[in-house]
Amino acid sequence: MTDRRIKRSNRALLDASFQVLLHNPHASLSEIANQAGVGRATLYRHFPTRENLLAAIAIESLEIVEQATAKRLRCELRETSAIEQLVSALLPLADRFHFLQMMWTDIELDAEVCALYEQQMAALERWITAGQRNGVLSEQLQPQWIVAMLDSMLYSASWLISTHALSPKEAEQQLLIGLLNGISGHKPTG
Amino acid sequence: MTDRRIKRSNRALLDASFQVLLHNPHASLSEIANQAGVGRATLYRHFPTRENLLAAIAIESLEIVEQATAKRLRCELRETSAIEQLVSALLPLADRFHFLQMMWTDIELDAEVCALYEQQMAALERWITAGQRNGVLSEQLQPQWIVAMLDSMLYSASWLISTHALSPKEAEQQLLIGLLNGISGHKPTG
DNA sequence: ATTTAATGAGACGCTATTGTATCATAAAGT
DNA sequence: ACTTTATGATACAATAGCGTCTCATTAAAT
């Protein structure tokens, strides 16, 4: 019933377009098709319009993130190690965050993208609020600000990794210290 | 000697293009010229190419940032309040950071842009390194990571302000707490 | 008042990209 | 083996944006 070629082309296109657009947001659909090893016509058969393609990548990205976080977010946040684990799980996906942020202007009009995004944001905010109740997270900060910090620091980490300023290991370490303790010198040790 | 009209058109173009591109990165030069209340031909007389225009905005943005920070960065970082003052000075310029980040792919090829950028980054890193020596900033973190955190959190703040999720005042407060102390609950108070 | 030159309006050619349509081929399903 | 259909190649029309040029107008400089 379902032709294997469809799935194969679809994968090749989603993978290639993600990689190509990540490094050149202005890339034409021809370039993308070439990089995917697929005819331009085939690209249009799978994704009728450019917006459509971008939305598809965004949705896949959001689903990947969801898959990596869903289990962790389901159980209540009780100790700091859970945050460390979340960051560890999310950091390898920083490219996806990068893409979503970079293309936000183009994809924010898509209903499914928005729905997924808001859904995940809501889940994350609930998790964080629980963490605040449990004393793991500061109650001085608003949940949405903590979400924003997490998001933007993942982006920073991926940036520094991609420019080889930091190794992935270093980046993760720095991110956790900075996120959890801030940048202040250790005055609490007084 | 110098015709006032030149300066006036130039200002109108720089201001309008910054605002327009901030909200629609794909805006055409026609739209920009319209918004500036200037003919399209005039735009081309001032900025021969699109890249040229983008670079000009970037350079102006970097100069604005430099003007706002130079004095503060010149005197050594000795106490936390200096950081708070830097953030206060920088937060109103978050739109400029936003622009630079959003257009980075398009402007990173310009020599002057790169020079200004690296120069400011270097100054900031020196300031931070001094702050670490003085015990104001954590020595566990690499200067470039602290820079990245500052940058990305300014971006986050401007985002939340622009979406009306946080008021400017709230955003500044949350930013400072998060940046200096991190998101952890107060375990040091034990 | 006269000269200078920046501007606005518009026409023009050019290129790149988009999206559609066609048709032979070859791979997959039965 | 036979049928179905996804694909690749190609041609095509349509659009949009870019960059150049011209010329009358009008503001500014002297």
Side-chain angles (χ1 to χ4, degrees):
Chain A
M1 188 76 183
T2 60
D3 198 319
R4 295 175 250 169
R5 285 172 294 180
I6 298 179
K7 191 178 275 184
R8 195 162 53 89
S9 295
N10 212 268
R11 265 263 56 80
L13 283 167
L14 284 173
D15 291 343
S17 53
F18 174 66
Q19 293 297 339
V20 170
L21 291 171
L22 200 58
H23 294 91
N24 173 22
H26 301 328
S28 70
L29 298 184
S30 303
E31 294 180 59
I32 291 172
N34 283 337
Q35 193 64 29
V38 150
R40 197 169 67 96
T42 300
L43 192 158
Y44 278 101
R45 287 186 194 105
H46 285 256
F47 306 100
T49 140
R50 187 190 181 85
E51 279 185 0
N52 201 302
L53 173 63
L54 294 180
I57 306 172
I59 289 168
E60 188 183 37
S61 298
L62 287 166
E63 284 170 348
I64 288 175
V65 172
E66 208 256 337
Q67 218 170 359
T69 59
K71 300 169 209 159
R72 298 172 197 282
L73 294 188
R74 247 193 294 280
C75 57
E76 197 166 325
L77 172 54
R78 296 185 191 283
E79 39 188 62
T80 306
S81 64
I83 299 174
E84 293 171 2
Q85 284 169 26
L86 186 72
V87 168
S88 289
L90 247 28
L91 197 50
L93 306 181
D95 274 353
R96 297 289 173 171
F97 286 95
H98 192 144
F99 180 90
L100 291 170
Q101 180 167 340
M102 191 168 56
M103 296 293 179
W104 188 247
T105 317
D106 303 294
I107 61 182
E108 68 177 337
L109 301 174
D110 185 277
E112 195 174 348
V113 169
C114 284
L116 275 174
Y117 175 77
E118 311 224 341
Q119 178 185 323
Q120 289 185 36
M121 279 299 172
L124 191 50
E125 278 197 31
R126 280 194 300 274
W127 192 70
I128 284 168
T129 305
Q132 289 179 314
R133 275 200 312 272
N134 295 335
V136 177
L137 296 177
S138 166
E139 302 208 60
Q140 291 181 79
L141 298 169
Q142 296 183 29
Q144 56 190 337
W145 174 254
I146 295 180
V147 171
M149 270 185 71
L150 182 59
D151 188 78
S152 68
M153 287 174 69
L154 283 168
Y155 178 84
S156 288
S158 82
W159 173 268
L160 291 179
I161 291 172
S162 73
T163 59
H164 301 98
L166 259 58
S167 73
K169 224 193 245 174
E170 280 176 324
E172 180 175 344
Q173 183 208 9
Q174 300 275 299
L175 193 161
L176 281 172
I177 297 174
L179 179 65
L180 294 173
N181 304 328
I183 65 174
S184 281
H186 323 292
K187 52 186 177 192
T189 317
Chain B
M1 187 77 181
T2 58
D3 198 320
R4 295 175 250 169
R5 285 172 293 180
I6 298 179
K7 191 178 275 183
R8 195 163 52 88
S9 295
N10 212 268
R11 265 265 55 80
L13 282 168
L14 283 173
D15 291 343
S17 52
F18 173 66
Q19 293 298 338
V20 170
L21 289 171
L22 199 58
H23 294 91
N24 173 22
H26 301 327
S28 70
L29 298 183
S30 304
E31 293 180 59
I32 292 172
N34 282 337
Q35 193 64 29
V38 149
R40 196 168 68 97
T42 300
L43 190 159
Y44 279 101
R45 287 186 193 104
H46 285 256
F47 307 100
T49 139
R50 187 192 180 86
E51 280 184 0
N52 201 301
L53 174 63
L54 295 180
I57 306 171
I59 289 168
E60 189 184 38
S61 298
L62 288 166
E63 283 170 348
I64 289 175
V65 172
E66 207 255 337
Q67 220 170 0
T69 60
K71 300 169 210 159
R72 298 171 197 284
L73 294 187
R74 247 194 293 281
C75 57
E76 197 166 323
L77 172 54
R78 297 186 189 284
E79 39 189 62
T80 305
S81 65
I83 299 174
E84 292 171 2
Q85 284 169 28
L86 187 72
V87 167
S88 289
L90 248 27
L91 197 51
L93 307 180
D95 274 354
R96 295 288 173 171
F97 286 95
H98 193 144
F99 180 88
L100 290 169
Q101 179 167 341
M102 190 168 57
M103 294 295 179
W104 188 248
T105 316
D106 303 294
I107 61 181
E108 68 177 337
L109 301 175
D110 185 277
E112 194 175 350
V113 169
C114 284
L116 275 175
Y117 175 78
E118 310 223 343
Q119 179 185 320
Q120 289 185 38
M121 278 300 172
L124 190 50
E125 278 197 30
R126 279 195 300 275
W127 193 69
I128 284 169
T129 304
Q132 289 180 314
R133 274 199 312 272
N134 295 336
V136 177
L137 295 177
S138 166
E139 302 208 60
Q140 293 181 77
L141 298 170
Q142 297 183 30
Q144 55 190 336
W145 174 254
I146 295 180
V147 172
M149 270 184 71
L150 182 58
D151 188 79
S152 67
M153 287 173 70
L154 283 168
Y155 178 84
S156 289
S158 83
W159 173 267
L160 291 180
I161 291 171
S162 73
T163 58
H164 301 98
L166 258 58
S167 74
K169 225 193 244 173
E170 279 176 325
E172 181 175 343
Q173 183 208 10
Q174 299 274 301
L175 193 162
L176 281 172
I177 297 173
L179 178 64
L180 295 172
N181 304 327
I183 65 174
S184 281
H186 323 292
K187 50 188 178 190
T189 318

